[in-house]
Amino acid sequence: MSGLVNGKWVSGDVAKEEIKNGAFHREDTAFREMHIGPQAGRYQLFISLLCPWASRTLIFRHLKGLEKFIQISVAQPVIGENGWTFDTPQDAGDKIAPVSYVHQLYTASDATYTGKVSVPVLWDRQEGRIVNNESADIIRILNHAFDALTGNQDDFYPAALREEIDRWNEVIYHDVNNGVYKTGFAKTQESYNAAVTRLFSTLDTLEAHLQTHRYIAGEYLTEADWRLFVTLVRFDSAYHGAFKCNIRRIEDYPNLSNYLRELYQWPGISDTVNLPHIKQGYYGILWLNPTGIVPAGPELDLRRPHDRQRLSGRGVMHTTG
Ligand SMILES: N[C@@H](CCC(=O)N[C@@H](CS)C(=O)NCC(=O)O)C(=O)O
């Protein structure tokens, strides 16, 4: 495996310990605190631009106008012998010496930690510990925790739409976000067949849904859209080839591809997406791609106009009162 055992780093193949009987099962996340004391400069996000889960948090940092409040540290694209690694040691507050590896954040938080060392990490610089390393939690925290400081009232998980959002999140998480990993990391033909079939049947369902709905939960743009976006934007460049998710491309789906472009063109979002970095990271997983060669294509133009104005949409909901 690759990860920490009793606080000691063990290097090995990424995700191998999560493959059982040929099928990939994502490990649960360890640090799940939901309450933070919102103060400028207190928190830091450690991410990789390869990682769709980490990208959700980068997107929310931008959408909620938190660039000045939460600093980020971006790991190198390829997960190395020591796991996620930084080009230069990253300052992480006074409680800890600058860190070169993400695993140092884990052992600082729990000296006997055992398990995988993943990004994103929401880090408390003041206390020198991980607050939360589950992206689904981190985006919920960012959705509201700093509102009083920033005055940003955009609500991506509005009470009125929660049931609908939760229902779609469940499907999108299992069959799409994690579906590409189940497909790519399958070690038997059967588990690959099952995962790829499910992935594309869910993409077909989403394609039909987006024919008549501007966004996943209807007229409003919500966290369900951003959770789907991070996988769609990586799909044709990385998952189609590196993870063998190749029955169709997102480009082959009229609604999904137009929807993807609308989200990509949302102010500031394209700055959170680095396709060369994403390709380098996925094609750098050497047990999947032993030569490490990064393919040249595909040519994609996500800045092309989209046709989503044909559906009525009201953008982002705002918290009131
Ligand atoms: N549940 C976590 C999953 C995060 C995750 O799996 N991140 C991957 C990168 S995309 C990782 O860091 N993997 C390291 C490893 O498998 O050793 C979340 O959504 O925050």
Side-chain angles (χ1 to χ4, degrees), residues 1 5 13 15 23 37 45 50 73 90 112 116 124 128 151 155 158 174 235 244 252 278 318:
M1 73 166 267
V5 177
D13 287 328
L45 273 170
L50 148 91
S73 291
Q90 302 289 298
T112 61
K116 109 174 175 176
D124 185 338
D155 188 357
H174 288 291
F235 204 96
K244 304 187 183 78
D252 301 323
I278 289 168
H318 302 283

Side-chain angles (χ1 to χ4, degrees), residues 66 77 165 178 209 230 260 284 315:
L66 297 171
I165 295 170
N178 211 17
H209 181 69
V230 294
L260 167 60

Side-chain angles (χ1 to χ4, degrees), residues 14 26 29 51 53 84 116-120 133-135 181:
V14 179
R26 190 168 288 280
T29 318
C51 177
W53 319 99
W84 296 114
K116 109 174 175 176
V117 170
S118 59
V119 286
N133 69 333
E134 171 53 53
S135 61
Y181 283 90

